[in-house]
Amino acid sequence: QSALTQPASVSGSPGQSITISCTGTSNDVGNYNLVSWYQQYPGKAPKLMIYEVTKRPSGVSNRFSGSKSGNTASLTISGLQAEDEADYYCCSYGVSGTYGFGIGTKVIVL
Amino acid sequence: QVHLMQSGAEVKRPGASLKVSCKASGYTFIGYFIHWVRQAPGQGLEYMGWINSNSGGPTYAQNFQGRVTMTRDTSISTAYMELSGLKSDDTAMYYCARGRSGSSYFDYWGQGSLVTVSS
């Protein structure tokens, strides 16, 4: 399963909203509502932020939201805060029967 | 509370094999899958495969088929990932993560096991 395409970095000022895209194909993102998003701080394990495209686990801020259109999924962070500065990875189930991650996006809070 | 405790850092020679353990606690081990994901230094996440903790049946990502073996010991709630034929580009942090049967996401992660492959 090929890596999903994400922008290398996205930046925004505190309080703004940013959106990270995750582009796959009809073999993964476009065929299943099984996209999840993970936040990772340097030297730490990833943390689940969004699952099944739009669902938010208990304890995750409602400033994080997910969506999907065609072969592209998106993670939106509203009311950007300094603590949101981290790497973000999307992940999708695919027709291969396994999963694939995006290449990762570094969120920079200006 | 759910906790996945992984084995410690290792240094391996090229051509050797590695075996990482992942001990689960705080939930019913056989009710969930264990997934394995690795991350080379400064790189992104790479999915390796999963094991059904109940049946023991593994599913491997294509990139690792033939070189990876995932097993579990239900008596001690521990999953294992063994990778053979190590090369320098297998140097990475290896993570285990919990997944619910029928789900598509990984809700709890281990702390990671750093494996360095060097002659």
Side-chain angles (χ1 to χ4, degrees):
Chain A
Q1 188 164 335
S2 301
L4 307 174
T5 301
Q6 296 180 235
S9 66
V10 174
S11 61
S13 299
Q16 287 186 328
S17 292
I18 62 168
T19 296
I20 304 167
S21 61
C22 170
T23 301
T25 70
S26 58
N27 289 329
D28 39 59
V29 175
N31 199 35
Y32 304 96
N33 288 325
L34 298 177
V35 176
S36 52
W37 289 89
Y38 301 86
Q39 176 192 64
Q40 186 181 36
Y41 293 114
K44 299 296 186 182
K47 174 188 176 183
L48 177 66
M49 303 302 284
I50 294 288
Y51 67 98
E52 293 173 3
V53 178
T54 61
K55 298 176 182 178
R56 204 170 40 247
S58 174
V60 171
S61 170
N62 59 9
R63 297 186 299 104
F64 292 85
S65 61
S67 62
K68 192 187 88 166
S69 177
N71 294 337
T72 299
S74 299
L75 174 71
T76 297
I77 309 174
S78 58
L80 196 63
Q81 299 179 2
E83 67 197 49
D84 300 330
E85 187 161 293
D87 294 325
Y88 292 82
Y89 294 90
C90 62
C91 179
S92 177
Y93 183 77
V95 295
S96 62
T98 63
Y99 296 84
F101 284 96
I103 60 175
T105 297
K106 178 177 290 294
V107 167
I108 300 168
V109 181
L110 302 171
Chain B
Q1 66 281 24
V2 174
H3 192 58
L4 299 175
M5 176 62 73
Q6 298 185 226
S7 47
E10 296 191 67
V11 178
K12 295 291 186 180
R13 299 293 185 219
S17 296
L18 71 88
K19 190 171 187 177
V20 178
S21 67
C22 173
K23 182 172 177 58
S25 61
Y27 71 96
T28 303
F29 179 69
I30 61 173
Y32 294 80
F33 295 172
I34 293 291
H35 299 262
W36 291 91
V37 176
R38 76 176 184 180
Q39 186 172 35
Q43 302 300 308
L45 302 173
E46 183 178 21
Y47 187 77
M48 300 182 71
W50 80 76
I51 184 165
N52 181 326
S53 303
N54 187 24
S55 70
T59 299
Y60 304 135
Q62 188 171 8
N63 286 353
F64 295 95
Q65 285 182 5
R67 211 159 68 92
V68 70
T69 303
M70 296 177 186
T71 58
R72 94 290 188 230
D73 184 338
T74 58
S75 68
I76 55 172
S77 300
T78 299
Y80 302 92
M81 186 283 297
E82 187 166 9
L83 189 64
S84 62
L86 291 174
K87 301 165 284 189
S88 59
D89 58 6
D90 290 317
T91 294
M93 184 73 81
Y94 288 79
Y95 292 103
C96 64
R98 190 185 81 161
R100 185 186 295 270
S101 173
S103 75
S104 63
Y105 54 91
F106 322 126
D107 57 359
Y108 288 91
W109 294 63
Q111 83 278 17
S113 299
L114 180 62
V115 175
T116 303
V117 181
S118 174
S119 55

